[in-house]
Amino acid sequence: ILMNLYHLLPYRISYDPTRYPKYIPEAYCLCKGCLMGIFGEENFHFRSTPVYMPTVILRRTSSCAGGRYVYTEDYVTIPVGCTCVPEQEKEAESVNSSIDKQEMKLLVSQNKPSSE
């Protein structure tokens, strides 16, 4: 897999007043394809896709203890960057999707040794 992380990514700020931290920057991909070549032209044989990172946050509950909010741990995935992945060939997709389950079962059962 070809990986090409962008150095300067645009970020959106996610805000949730019941979460700590309240503000989390989230990366997003600008292009549909990937910028490649010596002049940085967009190549549509690859697609730009987000890279996610699992992160622990604190989520405020509805209860209080000692005059303070009570928080619980919550696990979220946050987009932190973008990378390039090859686009699959249309022909390869159609070949794979044309094999249905019954045909596959038939092929498997024909190749099994008989248990006589």
Side-chain angles (χ1 to χ4, degrees):
I1 296 175
L2 176 66
M3 293 191 66
N4 182 11
L5 292 173
Y6 299 118
H7 297 288
L8 299 172
L9 287 171
Y11 286 89
R12 294 184 182 112
I13 302 298
S14 166
Y15 173 74
D16 184 344
T18 65
R19 173 186 69 201
Y20 182 81
K22 292 180 181 181
Y23 299 94
I24 297 177
E26 296 180 350
Y28 64 96
C29 304
L30 286 173
C31 301
K32 190 172 190 172
C34 289
L35 303 179
M36 305 178 106
I38 56 173
F39 299 110
E41 55 273 0
E42 192 168 6
N43 183 336
F44 292 103
H45 294 291
F46 296 88
R47 65 181 161 82
S48 185
T49 187
V51 174
Y52 293 93
M53 181 179 78
T55 305
V56 179
I57 61 160
L58 297 177
R59 180 85 51 200
R60 189 169 66 207
T61 65
S62 57
S63 57
C64 290
R68 295 177 184 229
Y69 291 118
V70 176
Y71 289 84
T72 58
E73 282 186 353
D74 193 8
Y75 296 85
V76 296
T77 55
I78 297 173
V80 294
C82 293
T83 191
C84 294
V85 295
E87 272 294 351
Q88 293 186 358
E89 296 288 330
K90 297 282 185 208
E91 293 170 15
E93 287 178 17
S94 64
V95 168
N96 290 335
S97 64
S98 67
I99 299 175
D100 81 332
K101 292 178 183 177
Q102 292 301 326
E103 289 176 11
M104 187 56 82
K105 286 180 184 177
L106 182 62
L107 287 172
V108 170
S109 65
Q110 287 175 350
N111 291 329
K112 281 186 180 177
S114 61
S115 56
E116 294 176 17

